[in-house]
Amino acid sequence: MSDQKKILRSIMHGIKGLMPTDSSGEQTTSVRAYHKMLSIKDLLQGNLLNRWWDRDRWPVTSGNYLVGERKSPVAICTLTSPQLMEPLQKAEGTAIVGRLVTANLGIEKIIRNIISNPNIRYLLLCGEDSPVFHPGQTLHSLFEKGVDSDHRIIEAQGHYPVLINIDRELIEHFRNHIVLIDCTGEGNLDALQRTIMRLGKAETALRLGVDYEQDHPIPPRA
């Protein structure tokens, strides 16, 4: 393991240790409190009021992201690799790019921002996953397995992988209409930019009804 990854793991464990746990060993109370703080922050910044008056406003939730061309078909999650965000924002085909460090609130924001833009077809997962909170593996499990009756992501390794603030219908819409392109661990900008461009061309071809050959077969739009 590299020194950088060792430092990251130590930091993540330190943050986790600062959070109060409940009887199950999870920070349920902390997650709920943090969600309330984010809602208040949105209100104070005017985000909620702006979205009420401007229904065409997008993205619909606050977060650590950069917006590309909103009519493009690719959303990108760089996990714990924020250095990838700015270069990938400029790639042809990028609608939005952001990082992800939690297995709950961060995923809820991804779902809301993606399904509120009907142009987005793909979610490209790249960069390094957190060695403690495992948001990348959790997101992959969400696509593969879905959630149980308590909105807990099935077979997720992430810490408290429960989507408590979002309706099941929205979760299933996300799973059924968005294609996950899982490149977790990939940090090569040239390779990622080629993938984004290929996905953009593939989606354009699908919209035009034209066959398009590519390395990763993409299911037809639902």
Side-chain angles (χ1 to χ4, degrees):
M1 182 183 297
S2 66
D3 291 340
Q4 184 177 12
K5 288 186 177 180
K6 288 180 180 178
I7 294 172
L8 177 61
R9 182 181 290 273
S10 298
I11 292 173
M12 291 297 185
H13 276 294
I15 293 173
K16 182 178 179 181
L18 292 173
M19 297 179 181
T21 59
D22 54 24
S23 59
S24 67
E26 296 183 326
Q27 283 86 19
T28 307
T29 302
S30 299
V31 172
R32 292 180 184 273
Y34 186 58
H35 179 265
K36 290 181 180 179
M37 289 173 57
L38 291 179
S39 298
I40 293 172
K41 178 183 176 182
D42 274 355
L43 181 60
L44 292 176
Q45 290 181 337
N47 291 339
L48 294 178
L49 293 177
N50 286 336
R51 290 198 296 273
W52 176 261
W53 291 109
D54 184 3
R55 299 302 179 88
D56 194 45
R57 185 182 178 87
W58 185 82
V60 298
T61 69
S62 61
N64 192 343
Y65 54 71
L66 299 172
V67 177
E69 170 51 57
R70 63 176 293 173
K71 292 185 179 180
S72 294
V74 185
I76 306 166
C77 175
T78 67
L79 296 172
T80 62
S81 302
Q83 73 276 8
L84 298 176
M85 289 173 56
E86 188 171 349
L88 295 182
Q89 176 198 19
K90 303 171 184 178
E92 182 181 351
T94 297
I96 187 172
V97 53
R99 60 181 302 188
L100 177 65
V101 295
T102 64
N104 36 64
L105 299 177
I107 292 179
E108 290 177 357
K109 286 176 175 287
I110 286 177
I111 293 173
R112 293 186 187 281
N113 280 335
I114 287 181
I115 66 175
S116 62
N117 185 340
N119 298 295
I120 296 178
R121 163 68 167 155
Y122 311 104
L123 173 58
L124 174 62
L125 200 58
C126 61
E128 294 295 328
D129 199 5
S130 164
V132 176
F133 296 109
H134 306 289
Q137 187 278 335
T138 300
L139 194 53
H140 185 90
S141 291
L142 176 61
F143 275 92
E144 289 291 318
K145 303 294 184 179
V147 297
D148 63 17
S149 58
D150 295 320
H151 284 211
R152 178 179 289 271
I153 300 174
I154 300 169
E155 295 186 11
Q157 298 174 8
H159 185 74
Y160 192 59
V162 184
L163 308 181
I164 58 177
N165 306 295
I166 191 166
D167 293 337
R168 178 180 292 274
E169 290 76 12
L170 296 182
I171 296 173
E172 292 307 310
H173 179 85
F174 175 72
R175 294 181 64 231
N176 293 329
H177 289 79
I178 302 300
V179 177
L180 179 67
I181 308 297
D182 194 346
C183 296
T184 300
E186 179 62 78
N188 183 286
L189 285 172
D190 288 338
L192 291 170
Q193 288 167 342
R194 286 195 299 271
T195 297
I196 296 166
M197 183 177 298
R198 186 168 63 244
L199 292 171
K201 290 181 178 180
E203 180 63 10
T204 299
L206 284 173
R207 292 174 182 176
L208 296 175
V210 178
D211 187 25
Y212 182 80
E213 296 287 335
Q214 60 173 3
D215 295 337
H216 301 286
I218 297 175
R221 183 182 294 276

